Amino acid sequence: MEAKKAVPQPPHTGGDPEKPAPKRYRHANSPPDYRRRMFLGIMGAAALSTVFRANIAAESVVAERTQFRITTPDNDKNRTAANRFPGKTWYLLGGFGVSYRDVGRKLAALQPTMNERAPASYIGYSNGGIDIAALFIAIQQDTYTRKIDTVYFYGDSFGGMAAVVLASLLEENGIHVKMVVMGSSPSNVRDVLDPGKEYISLAGRVVPYLGLLGRLTVGVWNGLANPNGQGMYDAARSGIDSSFDPANNSLILNTTQATFLQAFPTQYDGGIPRSTGIGLMYDPADFIVNARLAIVGWEQLFPHNPVFVYELPNTGHASPEIHPEVYRTGLRVVLDKLDPPPLTFKPVQPIF
Protein backbone atom coordinates (compact mmCIF):
# COMPACT_ATOMS: atom_id res chain seq x y z
CA MET A 1 0.00 0.00 0.00
CA GLU A 2 1.38 3.21 -1.04
CA ALA A 3 2.23 5.78 1.58
CA LYS A 4 0.28 9.03 1.45
CA LYS A 5 2.18 11.97 0.17
CA ALA A 6 2.85 14.51 2.80
CA VAL A 7 1.28 17.88 2.14
CA PRO A 8 3.95 20.57 2.28
CA GLN A 9 3.53 22.99 5.22
CA PRO A 10 4.66 26.64 5.35
CA PRO A 11 7.68 27.24 7.52
CA HIS A 12 6.89 27.68 11.19
CA THR A 13 7.42 31.29 12.34
CA GLY A 14 6.78 30.83 16.01
CA GLY A 15 3.14 31.84 15.89
CA ASP A 16 0.08 29.79 16.52
CA PRO A 17 -0.29 27.56 13.49
CA GLU A 18 -4.04 27.26 14.06
CA LYS A 19 -4.60 31.09 14.11
CA PRO A 20 -5.19 32.67 10.71
CA ALA A 21 -3.12 35.65 9.67
CA PRO A 22 -4.81 39.01 10.32
CA LYS A 23 -6.56 40.62 7.41
CA ARG A 24 -5.07 43.87 6.15
CA TYR A 25 -7.29 46.77 5.08
CA ARG A 26 -6.25 49.74 2.99
CA HIS A 27 -6.58 53.03 4.99
CA ALA A 28 -8.88 55.52 3.28
CA ASN A 29 -8.11 59.30 3.78
CA SER A 30 -10.95 60.84 5.83
CA PRO A 31 -12.13 64.38 4.88
CA PRO A 32 -10.85 67.25 7.13
CA ASP A 33 -13.05 68.19 10.07
CA TYR A 34 -13.88 71.77 9.13
CA ARG A 35 -16.28 72.24 12.02
CA ARG A 36 -13.59 71.35 14.53
CA ARG A 37 -11.11 73.69 12.86
CA MET A 38 -13.63 76.52 12.82
CA PHE A 39 -14.40 76.00 16.50
CA LEU A 40 -10.71 76.07 17.44
CA GLY A 41 -10.19 79.18 15.30
CA ILE A 42 -13.08 81.00 16.97
CA MET A 43 -11.86 80.05 20.44
CA GLY A 44 -8.31 81.20 19.60
CA ALA A 45 -9.56 84.54 18.29
CA ALA A 46 -11.68 84.99 21.41
CA ALA A 47 -8.66 84.28 23.61
CA LEU A 48 -6.55 86.83 21.74
CA SER A 49 -9.35 89.39 21.99
CA THR A 50 -9.60 88.78 25.75
CA VAL A 51 -5.87 89.28 26.20
CA PHE A 52 -6.02 92.44 24.07
CA ARG A 53 -8.90 93.89 26.10
CA ALA A 54 -7.24 92.96 29.39
CA ASN A 55 -4.09 94.75 28.23
CA ILE A 56 -6.08 97.92 27.52
CA ALA A 57 -8.03 97.61 30.77
CA ALA A 58 -4.85 97.20 32.79
CA GLU A 59 -3.38 100.34 31.23
CA SER A 60 -6.54 102.29 32.01
CA VAL A 61 -6.17 101.35 35.69
CA VAL A 62 -2.72 102.96 35.72
CA ALA A 63 -3.74 106.21 34.01
CA GLU A 64 -5.85 108.78 35.80
CA ARG A 65 -9.35 108.76 34.27
CA THR A 66 -10.56 112.29 33.67
CA GLN A 67 -13.57 111.79 31.38
CA PHE A 68 -13.57 115.39 30.09
CA ARG A 69 -13.80 116.76 33.61
CA ILE A 70 -14.36 120.52 33.91
CA THR A 71 -13.03 121.92 37.18
CA THR A 72 -13.77 125.40 38.54
CA PRO A 73 -11.60 125.96 41.63
CA ASP A 74 -13.76 126.98 44.58
CA ASN A 75 -11.79 129.90 45.98
CA ASP A 76 -12.45 133.52 46.93
CA LYS A 77 -11.01 134.97 43.71
CA ASN A 78 -13.19 132.81 41.50
CA ARG A 79 -16.30 133.54 43.56
CA THR A 80 -15.61 137.28 43.42
CA ALA A 81 -15.08 137.13 39.66
CA ALA A 82 -18.32 135.17 39.20
CA ASN A 83 -20.21 137.94 41.04
CA ARG A 84 -18.48 140.72 39.07
CA PHE A 85 -18.84 139.08 35.66
CA PRO A 86 -22.03 136.99 35.59
CA GLY A 87 -22.49 134.86 32.49
CA LYS A 88 -18.75 134.71 31.68
CA THR A 89 -16.00 132.14 32.18
CA TRP A 90 -12.50 131.09 31.17
CA TYR A 91 -11.70 127.58 29.94
CA LEU A 92 -8.05 126.48 29.93
CA LEU A 93 -7.23 123.55 27.62
CA GLY A 94 -4.04 121.58 28.25
CA GLY A 95 -1.22 120.75 25.86
CA PHE A 96 -0.06 117.55 24.18
CA GLY A 97 0.66 114.93 26.83
CA VAL A 98 0.01 117.35 29.73
CA SER A 99 -1.73 115.56 32.58
CA TYR A 100 -4.96 116.70 34.18
CA ARG A 101 -3.20 117.69 37.39
CA ASP A 102 -0.57 119.72 35.53
CA VAL A 103 -3.33 121.62 33.71
CA GLY A 104 -4.64 122.59 37.14
CA ARG A 105 -1.19 123.96 38.04
CA LYS A 106 -1.20 126.10 34.90
CA LEU A 107 -4.61 127.52 35.76
CA ALA A 108 -3.47 128.34 39.30
CA ALA A 109 -0.62 130.40 37.81
CA LEU A 110 -2.91 132.33 35.44
CA GLN A 111 -6.09 132.62 37.51
CA PRO A 112 -5.33 136.03 39.15
CA THR A 113 -5.22 137.70 35.73
CA MET A 114 -8.05 135.63 34.28
CA ASN A 115 -10.27 136.75 37.16
CA GLU A 116 -9.98 140.32 35.92
CA ARG A 117 -12.47 139.31 33.21
CA ALA A 118 -14.24 136.16 34.46
CA PRO A 119 -14.03 133.15 36.77
CA ALA A 120 -11.62 130.47 35.55
CA SER A 121 -11.96 126.74 34.88
CA TYR A 122 -9.78 124.08 33.33
CA ILE A 123 -10.63 120.98 31.32
CA GLY A 124 -9.05 117.53 31.44
CA TYR A 125 -9.19 115.40 28.32
CA SER A 126 -10.46 111.86 28.71
CA ASN A 127 -7.66 109.30 28.92
CA GLY A 128 -9.81 107.21 26.61
CA GLY A 129 -8.82 109.65 23.84
CA ILE A 130 -9.57 113.22 22.85
CA ASP A 131 -13.07 113.50 21.41
CA ILE A 132 -14.07 117.02 20.33
CA ALA A 133 -17.77 116.14 20.27
CA ALA A 134 -17.67 114.80 23.84
CA LEU A 135 -15.57 117.78 24.93
CA PHE A 136 -18.10 120.17 23.39
CA ILE A 137 -20.99 118.41 25.16
CA ALA A 138 -19.18 118.70 28.50
CA ILE A 139 -18.63 122.44 27.96
CA GLN A 140 -22.20 122.95 26.80
CA GLN A 141 -23.52 121.24 29.93
CA ASP A 142 -21.27 123.38 32.10
CA THR A 143 -22.39 126.61 30.41
CA TYR A 144 -26.02 125.60 30.85
CA THR A 145 -25.54 124.77 34.55
CA ARG A 146 -23.68 128.00 35.29
CA LYS A 147 -25.77 130.15 32.90
CA ILE A 148 -22.73 131.12 30.81
CA ASP A 149 -23.19 133.09 27.58
CA THR A 150 -19.62 134.39 27.00
CA VAL A 151 -16.44 132.28 26.96
CA TYR A 152 -12.72 133.07 27.03
CA PHE A 153 -10.36 130.28 25.93
CA TYR A 154 -6.73 129.86 26.91
CA GLY A 155 -5.03 127.18 24.81
CA ASP A 156 -1.84 125.80 26.31
CA SER A 157 0.22 124.65 23.28
CA PHE A 158 -1.88 121.88 21.63
CA GLY A 159 -4.89 123.23 23.54
CA GLY A 160 -4.98 126.26 21.23
CA MET A 161 -5.95 124.01 18.31
CA ALA A 162 -8.70 122.33 20.31
CA ALA A 163 -9.93 125.73 21.50
CA VAL A 164 -10.32 127.01 17.94
CA VAL A 165 -12.51 124.06 16.93
CA LEU A 166 -14.57 124.26 20.12
CA ALA A 167 -15.03 128.02 19.69
CA SER A 168 -16.72 127.61 16.33
CA LEU A 169 -19.03 124.92 17.76
CA LEU A 170 -19.99 127.13 20.70
CA GLU A 171 -20.74 130.08 18.42
CA GLU A 172 -23.04 127.87 16.36
CA ASN A 173 -24.94 127.08 19.55
CA GLY A 174 -25.39 130.62 20.85
CA ILE A 175 -22.36 130.89 23.18
CA HIS A 176 -20.16 133.84 22.24
CA VAL A 177 -16.39 133.31 22.34
CA LYS A 178 -14.89 136.64 23.33
CA MET A 179 -11.26 135.66 22.98
CA VAL A 180 -8.89 132.78 22.24
CA VAL A 181 -5.39 133.13 23.73
CA MET A 182 -2.66 130.87 22.34
CA GLY A 183 0.07 130.00 24.84
CA SER A 184 2.86 128.74 22.55
CA SER A 185 0.32 127.00 20.30
CA PRO A 186 1.45 125.60 16.93
CA SER A 187 -0.83 126.50 14.03
CA ASN A 188 0.28 123.44 12.08
CA VAL A 189 2.32 120.30 12.71
CA ARG A 190 5.08 121.85 10.58
CA ASP A 191 5.57 124.46 13.33
CA VAL A 192 6.73 121.75 15.73
CA LEU A 193 10.49 121.67 16.36
CA ASP A 194 10.49 118.97 19.04
CA PRO A 195 12.85 116.12 18.13
CA GLY A 196 9.99 113.83 19.14
CA LYS A 197 8.07 115.05 16.08
CA GLU A 198 8.75 111.72 14.36
CA TYR A 199 7.07 109.94 17.27
CA ILE A 200 4.09 112.29 17.00
CA SER A 201 3.77 111.35 13.34
CA LEU A 202 4.17 107.66 14.11
CA ALA A 203 1.79 107.71 17.04
CA GLY A 204 -1.13 108.74 14.85
CA ARG A 205 -0.75 105.57 12.77
CA VAL A 206 0.94 102.81 14.75
CA VAL A 207 0.81 103.30 18.50
CA PRO A 208 -2.96 103.13 19.13
CA TYR A 209 -4.30 100.70 21.70
CA LEU A 210 -1.04 99.13 22.87
CA GLY A 211 -2.29 99.38 26.42
CA LEU A 212 -0.13 98.32 29.35
CA LEU A 213 2.50 96.71 27.14
CA GLY A 214 2.70 99.90 25.11
CA ARG A 215 3.12 102.00 28.26
CA LEU A 216 5.90 99.68 29.38
CA THR A 217 7.63 99.86 25.99
CA VAL A 218 7.39 103.64 25.81
CA GLY A 219 8.80 103.87 29.33
CA VAL A 220 11.84 101.79 28.41
CA TRP A 221 12.32 103.79 25.22
CA ASN A 222 12.10 107.15 27.00
CA GLY A 223 14.49 105.98 29.69
CA LEU A 224 17.12 104.82 27.21
CA ALA A 225 16.66 107.93 25.05
CA ASN A 226 17.23 110.19 28.09
CA PRO A 227 19.65 108.29 30.33
CA ASN A 228 20.83 111.40 32.24
CA GLY A 229 24.17 109.78 32.98
CA GLN A 230 22.70 106.45 34.08
CA GLY A 231 23.64 103.04 32.76
CA MET A 232 21.29 101.28 30.32
CA TYR A 233 19.67 99.15 33.02
CA ASP A 234 19.12 102.03 35.44
CA ALA A 235 17.89 104.31 32.63
CA ALA A 236 15.38 101.71 31.43
CA ARG A 237 14.17 101.10 34.98
CA SER A 238 13.81 104.83 35.58
CA GLY A 239 11.77 105.14 32.38
CA ILE A 240 9.49 102.31 33.45
CA ASP A 241 8.96 103.87 36.89
CA SER A 242 8.05 107.17 35.24
CA SER A 243 5.67 105.54 32.76
CA PHE A 244 3.68 103.96 35.59
CA ASP A 245 3.04 107.31 37.27
CA PRO A 246 -0.78 107.72 37.28
CA ALA A 247 -0.32 111.40 36.37
CA ASN A 248 0.95 110.37 32.93
CA ASN A 249 -1.67 110.23 30.21
CA SER A 250 -2.68 107.03 28.47
CA LEU A 251 -1.18 106.18 25.09
CA ILE A 252 -4.69 106.30 23.64
CA LEU A 253 -4.99 109.98 24.57
CA ASN A 254 -1.53 110.80 23.19
CA THR A 255 -2.34 108.92 20.00
CA THR A 256 -5.62 110.73 19.38
CA GLN A 257 -3.95 114.06 20.15
CA ALA A 258 -1.23 113.20 17.63
CA THR A 259 -3.84 112.38 15.00
CA PHE A 260 -5.61 115.70 15.67
CA LEU A 261 -2.32 117.59 15.48
CA GLN A 262 -1.43 115.95 12.17
CA ALA A 263 -4.77 116.92 10.61
CA PHE A 264 -5.07 120.52 11.91
CA PRO A 265 -6.26 123.02 10.64
CA THR A 266 -8.61 120.98 8.44
CA GLN A 267 -10.80 120.40 11.54
CA TYR A 268 -11.49 124.15 11.69
CA ASP A 269 -14.25 125.12 9.28
CA GLY A 270 -14.73 128.75 10.26
CA GLY A 271 -17.57 130.02 12.37
CA ILE A 272 -15.65 132.31 14.71
CA PRO A 273 -16.93 135.89 14.33
CA ARG A 274 -14.58 138.69 13.33
CA SER A 275 -15.05 140.29 16.74
CA THR A 276 -13.31 137.41 18.58
CA GLY A 277 -9.85 138.49 19.70
CA ILE A 278 -6.85 136.26 19.05
CA GLY A 279 -4.01 136.63 21.56
CA LEU A 280 -0.62 135.10 20.70
CA MET A 281 1.92 134.61 23.50
CA TYR A 282 5.31 133.10 22.55
CA ASP A 283 8.94 132.93 23.49
CA PRO A 284 10.75 133.84 20.23
CA ALA A 285 13.37 131.20 21.12
CA ASP A 286 10.79 128.47 21.87
CA PHE A 287 12.60 125.15 21.41
CA ILE A 288 9.46 123.10 20.71
CA VAL A 289 7.37 125.37 18.48
CA ASN A 290 8.69 127.74 15.80
CA ALA A 291 7.12 130.93 17.16
CA ARG A 292 7.52 132.92 13.93
CA LEU A 293 5.82 130.27 11.77
CA ALA A 294 3.07 129.72 14.35
CA ILE A 295 2.23 133.44 14.50
CA VAL A 296 2.12 133.70 10.71
CA GLY A 297 -0.09 130.59 10.58
CA TRP A 298 -2.63 131.96 13.05
CA GLU A 299 -2.72 135.35 11.31
CA GLN A 300 -3.46 133.59 8.03
CA LEU A 301 -6.20 131.49 9.65
CA PHE A 302 -7.85 134.61 11.15
CA PRO A 303 -7.16 137.39 8.64
CA HIS A 304 -10.16 139.48 9.74
CA ASN A 305 -9.92 139.11 13.52
CA PRO A 306 -8.12 141.47 15.90
CA VAL A 307 -4.77 139.83 16.69
CA PHE A 308 -2.20 140.89 19.28
CA VAL A 309 1.23 139.29 19.75
CA TYR A 310 3.08 139.39 23.09
CA GLU A 311 6.60 138.01 23.48
CA LEU A 312 7.61 135.95 26.50
CA PRO A 313 11.41 135.87 26.26
CA ASN A 314 13.41 133.22 28.11
CA THR A 315 10.37 131.25 29.22
CA GLY A 316 10.67 128.26 26.90
CA HIS A 317 7.50 126.51 25.80
CA ALA A 318 4.05 126.85 27.42
CA SER A 319 5.29 127.27 30.99
CA PRO A 320 2.99 129.56 33.04
CA GLU A 321 3.41 127.30 36.08
CA ILE A 322 7.20 127.91 35.92
CA HIS A 323 7.10 131.63 35.06
CA PRO A 324 3.79 132.79 36.59
CA GLU A 325 4.60 136.50 36.88
CA VAL A 326 5.80 136.80 33.28
CA TYR A 327 2.75 134.99 31.95
CA ARG A 328 0.30 136.92 34.09
CA THR A 329 1.79 140.21 32.89
CA GLY A 330 1.62 139.05 29.27
CA LEU A 331 -1.97 137.87 29.60
CA ARG A 332 -2.95 141.16 31.24
CA VAL A 333 -1.47 143.15 28.33
CA VAL A 334 -3.22 140.92 25.78
CA LEU A 335 -6.55 141.37 27.57
CA ASP A 336 -6.17 145.14 27.80
CA LYS A 337 -5.49 145.33 24.06
CA LEU A 338 -8.20 142.98 22.85
CA ASP A 339 -10.82 143.32 25.59
CA PRO A 340 -10.38 146.61 27.48
CA PRO A 341 -11.68 146.42 31.04
CA PRO A 342 -15.00 148.05 31.84
CA LEU A 343 -14.76 151.53 33.34
CA THR A 344 -15.12 151.44 37.11
CA PHE A 345 -15.28 155.20 37.53
CA LYS A 346 -16.58 158.18 35.59
CA PRO A 347 -13.81 159.84 33.58
CA VAL A 348 -12.93 163.45 34.47
CA GLN A 349 -14.56 165.79 31.96
CA PRO A 350 -12.46 168.77 30.84
CA ILE A 351 -13.83 172.17 31.82
CA PHE A 352 -13.19 173.71 28.42
PDB file of all heavy atoms in Angstrom, residues 205-225:
ATOM      1  N   ARG A 205      -0.477 106.699  13.664  1.00  0.00           N
ATOM      2  CA  ARG A 205      -0.752 105.573  12.771  1.00  0.00           C
ATOM      3  C   ARG A 205      -0.496 104.208  13.394  1.00  0.00           C
ATOM      4  O   ARG A 205      -1.161 103.235  13.061  1.00  0.00           O
ATOM      5  CB  ARG A 205       0.105 105.696  11.506  1.00  0.00           C
ATOM      6  CG  ARG A 205      -0.129 106.959  10.714  1.00  0.00           C
ATOM      7  CD  ARG A 205       0.596 106.897   9.374  1.00  0.00           C
ATOM      8  NE  ARG A 205       2.034 106.811   9.547  1.00  0.00           N
ATOM      9  CZ  ARG A 205       2.839 107.865   9.619  1.00  0.00           C
ATOM     10  NH1 ARG A 205       2.324 109.077   9.547  1.00  0.00           N
ATOM     11  NH2 ARG A 205       4.144 107.712   9.768  1.00  0.00           N
ATOM     12  N   VAL A 206       0.477 104.123  14.297  1.00  0.00           N
ATOM     13  CA  VAL A 206       0.936 102.813  14.747  1.00  0.00           C
ATOM     14  C   VAL A 206       0.657 102.530  16.214  1.00  0.00           C
ATOM     15  O   VAL A 206       0.292 101.423  16.589  1.00  0.00           O
ATOM     16  CB  VAL A 206       2.455 102.671  14.476  1.00  0.00           C
ATOM     17  CG1 VAL A 206       2.965 101.320  14.947  1.00  0.00           C
ATOM     18  CG2 VAL A 206       2.738 102.857  12.988  1.00  0.00           C
ATOM     19  N   VAL A 207       0.809 103.522  17.063  1.00  0.00           N
ATOM     20  CA  VAL A 207       0.812 103.305  18.502  1.00  0.00           C
ATOM     21  C   VAL A 207      -0.545 102.950  19.098  1.00  0.00           C
ATOM     22  O   VAL A 207      -0.584 102.379  20.170  1.00  0.00           O
ATOM     23  CB  VAL A 207       1.389 104.561  19.206  1.00  0.00           C
ATOM     24  CG1 VAL A 207       1.260 104.485  20.711  1.00  0.00           C
ATOM     25  CG2 VAL A 207       2.833 104.721  18.816  1.00  0.00           C
ATOM     26  N   PRO A 208      -1.684 103.245  18.427  1.00  0.00           N
ATOM     27  CA  PRO A 208      -2.959 103.127  19.132  1.00  0.00           C
ATOM     28  C   PRO A 208      -3.185 101.773  19.788  1.00  0.00           C
ATOM     29  O   PRO A 208      -2.858 100.745  19.224  1.00  0.00           O
ATOM     30  CB  PRO A 208      -4.008 103.379  18.059  1.00  0.00           C
ATOM     31  CG  PRO A 208      -3.317 103.435  16.784  1.00  0.00           C
ATOM     32  CD  PRO A 208      -1.869 103.561  17.035  1.00  0.00           C
ATOM     33  N   TYR A 209      -3.758 101.861  20.999  1.00  0.00           N
ATOM     34  CA  TYR A 209      -4.298 100.699  21.705  1.00  0.00           C
ATOM     35  C   TYR A 209      -3.256  99.649  22.068  1.00  0.00           C
ATOM     36  O   TYR A 209      -3.540  98.456  22.036  1.00  0.00           O
ATOM     37  CB  TYR A 209      -5.431 100.079  20.878  1.00  0.00           C
ATOM     38  CG  TYR A 209      -6.390 101.107  20.380  1.00  0.00           C
ATOM     39  CD1 TYR A 209      -6.640 101.269  19.020  1.00  0.00           C
ATOM     40  CD2 TYR A 209      -7.019 101.985  21.268  1.00  0.00           C
ATOM     41  CE1 TYR A 209      -7.485 102.258  18.560  1.00  0.00           C
ATOM     42  CE2 TYR A 209      -7.870 102.971  20.818  1.00  0.00           C
ATOM     43  CZ  TYR A 209      -8.099 103.095  19.465  1.00  0.00           C
ATOM     44  OH  TYR A 209      -8.938 104.076  19.013  1.00  0.00           O
ATOM     45  N   LEU A 210      -2.053 100.071  22.402  1.00  0.00           N
ATOM     46  CA  LEU A 210      -1.041  99.126  22.866  1.00  0.00           C
ATOM     47  C   LEU A 210      -1.200  98.829  24.355  1.00  0.00           C
ATOM     48  O   LEU A 210      -0.611  97.891  24.854  1.00  0.00           O
ATOM     49  CB  LEU A 210       0.366  99.666  22.589  1.00  0.00           C
ATOM     50  CG  LEU A 210       0.731  99.782  21.112  1.00  0.00           C
ATOM     51  CD1 LEU A 210       2.145 100.282  20.976  1.00  0.00           C
ATOM     52  CD2 LEU A 210       0.574  98.459  20.396  1.00  0.00           C
ATOM     53  N   GLY A 211      -1.958  99.662  25.040  1.00  0.00           N
ATOM     54  CA  GLY A 211      -2.290  99.381  26.424  1.00  0.00           C
ATOM     55  C   GLY A 211      -1.094  99.338  27.350  1.00  0.00           C
ATOM     56  O   GLY A 211      -0.125 100.084  27.214  1.00  0.00           O
ATOM     57  N   LEU A 212      -1.162  98.405  28.323  1.00  0.00           N
ATOM     58  CA  LEU A 212      -0.130  98.322  29.350  1.00  0.00           C
ATOM     59  C   LEU A 212       1.228  97.975  28.751  1.00  0.00           C
ATOM     60  O   LEU A 212       2.259  98.517  29.151  1.00  0.00           O
ATOM     61  CB  LEU A 212      -0.531  97.279  30.393  1.00  0.00           C
ATOM     62  CG  LEU A 212       0.339  97.206  31.648  1.00  0.00           C
ATOM     63  CD1 LEU A 212       0.233  98.494  32.436  1.00  0.00           C
ATOM     64  CD2 LEU A 212      -0.079  96.022  32.509  1.00  0.00           C
ATOM     65  N   LEU A 213       1.236  97.068  27.781  1.00  0.00           N
ATOM     66  CA  LEU A 213       2.503  96.705  27.137  1.00  0.00           C
ATOM     67  C   LEU A 213       3.089  97.903  26.402  1.00  0.00           C
ATOM     68  O   LEU A 213       4.305  98.108  26.402  1.00  0.00           O
ATOM     69  CB  LEU A 213       2.276  95.540  26.162  1.00  0.00           C
ATOM     70  CG  LEU A 213       1.867  94.206  26.794  1.00  0.00           C
ATOM     71  CD1 LEU A 213       1.623  93.163  25.717  1.00  0.00           C
ATOM     72  CD2 LEU A 213       2.925  93.720  27.772  1.00  0.00           C
ATOM     73  N   GLY A 214       2.224  98.701  25.788  1.00  0.00           N
ATOM     74  CA  GLY A 214       2.701  99.898  25.105  1.00  0.00           C
ATOM     75  C   GLY A 214       3.280 100.902  26.077  1.00  0.00           C
ATOM     76  O   GLY A 214       4.321 101.510  25.821  1.00  0.00           O
ATOM     77  N   ARG A 215       2.615 101.072  27.229  1.00  0.00           N
ATOM     78  CA  ARG A 215       3.121 101.996  28.257  1.00  0.00           C
ATOM     79  C   ARG A 215       4.495 101.528  28.742  1.00  0.00           C
ATOM     80  O   ARG A 215       5.408 102.329  28.943  1.00  0.00           O
ATOM     81  CB  ARG A 215       2.124 102.066  29.412  1.00  0.00           C
ATOM     82  CG  ARG A 215       2.565 102.946  30.570  1.00  0.00           C
ATOM     83  CD  ARG A 215       1.485 102.987  31.635  1.00  0.00           C
ATOM     84  NE  ARG A 215       0.395 103.865  31.241  1.00  0.00           N
ATOM     85  CZ  ARG A 215       0.256 105.126  31.631  1.00  0.00           C
ATOM     86  NH1 ARG A 215       1.166 105.674  32.419  1.00  0.00           N
ATOM     87  NH2 ARG A 215      -0.757 105.852  31.237  1.00  0.00           N
ATOM     88  N   LEU A 216       4.628 100.234  28.936  1.00  0.00           N
ATOM     89  CA  LEU A 216       5.902  99.676  29.375  1.00  0.00           C
ATOM     90  C   LEU A 216       6.994  99.913  28.330  1.00  0.00           C
ATOM     91  O   LEU A 216       8.111 100.326  28.652  1.00  0.00           O
ATOM     92  CB  LEU A 216       5.740  98.179  29.636  1.00  0.00           C
ATOM     93  CG  LEU A 216       6.968  97.415  30.119  1.00  0.00           C
ATOM     94  CD1 LEU A 216       7.380  97.904  31.497  1.00  0.00           C
ATOM     95  CD2 LEU A 216       6.666  95.919  30.157  1.00  0.00           C
ATOM     96  N   THR A 217       6.656  99.680  27.067  1.00  0.00           N
ATOM     97  CA  THR A 217       7.629  99.859  25.985  1.00  0.00           C
ATOM     98  C   THR A 217       8.052 101.312  25.860  1.00  0.00           C
ATOM     99  O   THR A 217       9.239 101.624  25.716  1.00  0.00           O
ATOM    100  CB  THR A 217       7.027  99.373  24.653  1.00  0.00           C
ATOM    101  OG1 THR A 217       6.642  97.996  24.784  1.00  0.00           O
ATOM    102  CG2 THR A 217       8.025  99.509  23.523  1.00  0.00           C
ATOM    103  N   VAL A 218       7.080 102.217  25.903  1.00  0.00           N
ATOM    104  CA  VAL A 218       7.393 103.642  25.808  1.00  0.00           C
ATOM    105  C   VAL A 218       8.252 104.080  26.983  1.00  0.00           C
ATOM    106  O   VAL A 218       9.167 104.896  26.840  1.00  0.00           O
ATOM    107  CB  VAL A 218       6.093 104.473  25.730  1.00  0.00           C
ATOM    108  CG1 VAL A 218       6.381 105.949  25.885  1.00  0.00           C
ATOM    109  CG2 VAL A 218       5.391 104.219  24.399  1.00  0.00           C
ATOM    110  N   GLY A 219       7.984 103.533  28.176  1.00  0.00           N
ATOM    111  CA  GLY A 219       8.795 103.872  29.334  1.00  0.00           C
ATOM    112  C   GLY A 219      10.251 103.464  29.159  1.00  0.00           C
ATOM    113  O   GLY A 219      11.169 104.244  29.447  1.00  0.00           O
ATOM    114  N   VAL A 220      10.461 102.245  28.661  1.00  0.00           N
ATOM    115  CA  VAL A 220      11.836 101.786  28.411  1.00  0.00           C
ATOM    116  C   VAL A 220      12.502 102.667  27.365  1.00  0.00           C
ATOM    117  O   VAL A 220      13.662 103.082  27.512  1.00  0.00           O
ATOM    118  CB  VAL A 220      11.835 100.309  27.949  1.00  0.00           C
ATOM    119  CG1 VAL A 220      13.228  99.888  27.508  1.00  0.00           C
ATOM    120  CG2 VAL A 220      11.337  99.406  29.076  1.00  0.00           C
ATOM    121  N   TRP A 221      11.765 102.966  26.298  1.00  0.00           N
ATOM    122  CA  TRP A 221      12.317 103.794  25.217  1.00  0.00           C
ATOM    123  C   TRP A 221      12.708 105.179  25.729  1.00  0.00           C
ATOM    124  O   TRP A 221      13.807 105.672  25.445  1.00  0.00           O
ATOM    125  CB  TRP A 221      11.306 103.896  24.092  1.00  0.00           C
ATOM    126  CG  TRP A 221      11.731 104.823  22.984  1.00  0.00           C
ATOM    127  CD1 TRP A 221      11.442 106.147  22.856  1.00  0.00           C
ATOM    128  CD2 TRP A 221      12.557 104.493  21.867  1.00  0.00           C
ATOM    129  NE1 TRP A 221      12.014 106.661  21.725  1.00  0.00           N
ATOM    130  CE2 TRP A 221      12.708 105.673  21.102  1.00  0.00           C
ATOM    131  CE3 TRP A 221      13.172 103.321  21.436  1.00  0.00           C
ATOM    132  CZ2 TRP A 221      13.452 105.705  19.924  1.00  0.00           C
ATOM    133  CZ3 TRP A 221      13.904 103.352  20.263  1.00  0.00           C
ATOM    134  CH2 TRP A 221      14.045 104.527  19.521  1.00  0.00           C
ATOM    135  N   ASN A 222      11.812 105.812  26.472  1.00  0.00           N
ATOM    136  CA  ASN A 222      12.104 107.149  26.999  1.00  0.00           C
ATOM    137  C   ASN A 222      13.289 107.128  27.956  1.00  0.00           C
ATOM    138  O   ASN A 222      14.106 108.054  27.978  1.00  0.00           O
ATOM    139  CB  ASN A 222      10.872 107.724  27.695  1.00  0.00           C
ATOM    140  CG  ASN A 222       9.777 108.119  26.720  1.00  0.00           C
ATOM    141  OD1 ASN A 222      10.039 108.356  25.542  1.00  0.00           O
ATOM    142  ND2 ASN A 222       8.549 108.186  27.189  1.00  0.00           N
ATOM    143  N   GLY A 223      13.372 106.072  28.770  1.00  0.00           N
ATOM    144  CA  GLY A 223      14.490 105.978  29.693  1.00  0.00           C
ATOM    145  C   GLY A 223      15.824 105.850  28.983  1.00  0.00           C
ATOM    146  O   GLY A 223      16.796 106.524  29.328  1.00  0.00           O
ATOM    147  N   LEU A 224      15.872 105.002  27.953  1.00  0.00           N
ATOM    148  CA  LEU A 224      17.122 104.817  27.208  1.00  0.00           C
ATOM    149  C   LEU A 224      17.453 106.036  26.363  1.00  0.00           C
ATOM    150  O   LEU A 224      18.626 106.348  26.142  1.00  0.00           O
ATOM    151  CB  LEU A 224      17.017 103.573  26.319  1.00  0.00           C
ATOM    152  CG  LEU A 224      16.890 102.233  27.053  1.00  0.00           C
ATOM    153  CD1 LEU A 224      16.732 101.097  26.056  1.00  0.00           C
ATOM    154  CD2 LEU A 224      18.095 101.990  27.950  1.00  0.00           C
ATOM    155  N   ALA A 225      16.418 106.737  25.868  1.00  0.00           N
ATOM    156  CA  ALA A 225      16.661 107.931  25.045  1.00  0.00           C
ATOM    157  C   ALA A 225      17.153 109.100  25.883  1.00  0.00           C
ATOM    158  O   ALA A 225      17.823 110.005  25.373  1.00  0.00           O
ATOM    159  CB  ALA A 225      15.386 108.312  24.294  1.00  0.00           C
TER     160      ALA A 225
END
